[in-house]
Amino acid sequence: MDANAVAELQKAGVKVDQPDRLYVAVEWQDGKHVVPVGERAQVRDGELLAHVGLQPISKLWTGNKQPPSFAKAPPAEYEPFFMLIEATAAGYCRATRNTETDQEFERLYRHLLRRPDGTDRNPLFSYLQGAVRLYMSLREVSQAEFEAVVERLHQSARHFSTHTGSINYFQEVLRGVLGA
């Protein structure tokens, strides 16, 4: 958790007790180029937009709680974490009018798992990181819990992939999030 980020969001009027209603919104440079998420992220809470400073993922890990098995379905307590990440992914695809392929989502989630504070050529990676950083700023999350959530997202993208160029993960999972 990050008390500074919580205070900054509360001051802006963001409802920090409902992270499943939030997502990291796309920022544009000159209305043409996506600005990757850096130290600060643009957070959307309904019609409200706020900017917040976010620490790197590795600095936000708290405790050593072990997550339960996600083999069948993640427990309800993890749903807000998934929702924030998937809402950010859906919002990104909608804003950029570019539906990433299942293989690209799989690659990005795998990269996030392996290099949580890394960089990638695809700006969507920084938005997925931003979503994780935002959630972990609001809730205590151990490294093992982070890894379990991102691994489950990676498996989901892989599960929906049927062929090169398929966008089933977006169509089956993300489309309903935010009405993307």
Side-chain angles (χ1 to χ4, degrees):
M1 252 179 96
D2 181 357
N4 291 332
V6 170
E8 196 173 349
L9 288 167
Q10 286 176 327
K11 185 177 179 183
V14 173
K15 296 177 184 154
V16 298
D17 60 330
Q18 297 176 317
D20 53 330
R21 293 175 32 99
L22 308 177
Y23 68 96
V24 178
V26 173
E27 289 193 68
W28 296 92
Q29 179 181 28
D30 302 328
K32 297 177 185 176
H33 300 94
V34 173
V35 177
V37 176
E39 290 181 17
R40 297 188 66 75
Q42 181 173 255
V43 176
R44 181 170 291 280
D45 179 5
E47 294 300 313
L48 180 66
L49 277 177
H51 285 82
V52 62
L54 299 172
Q55 295 183 42
I57 293 169
S58 62
K59 297 223 186 277
L60 292 166
W61 287 318
T62 306
N64 55 8
K65 182 178 177 186
Q66 295 299 309
S69 171
F70 286 6
K72 293 187 180 192
E77 68 184 280
Y78 291 91
E79 287 178 14
F81 199 178
F82 283 95
M83 285 296 298
L84 201 156
I85 296 168
E86 291 179 332
T88 297
Y92 180 92
C93 290
R94 182 177 63 187
T96 61
R97 293 190 171 109
N98 178 37
T99 303
E100 296 290 352
T101 66
D102 301 332
Q103 290 175 329
E104 182 65 358
F105 273 112
E106 184 181 346
R107 185 188 75 77
L108 291 171
Y109 288 136
R110 184 177 57 245
H111 186 52
L112 182 59
L113 185 61
R114 291 181 178 165
R115 302 188 65 109
D117 294 330
T119 60
D120 192 83
R121 69 186 182 283
N122 187 337
L124 174 55
F125 181 75
S126 72
Y127 284 84
L128 297 174
Q129 280 178 317
V132 169
R133 293 164 56 205
L134 175 60
Y135 185 84
M136 292 176 68
S137 295
L138 304 176
R139 301 285 183 271
E140 292 188 3
V141 178
S142 70
Q143 182 175 353
E145 290 174 302
F146 157 78
E147 290 172 353
V149 167
V150 177
E151 176 60 31
R152 178 61 186 223
L153 289 165
H154 172 256
Q155 290 171 355
S156 183
R158 183 174 45 202
H159 169 77
F160 285 100
S161 182
T162 57
H163 60 279
T164 302
S166 68
I167 57 170
N168 298 326
Y169 175 68
F170 177 83
Q171 291 178 326
E172 300 294 326
V173 178
L174 300 181
R175 178 176 277 165
V177 181
L178 299 180

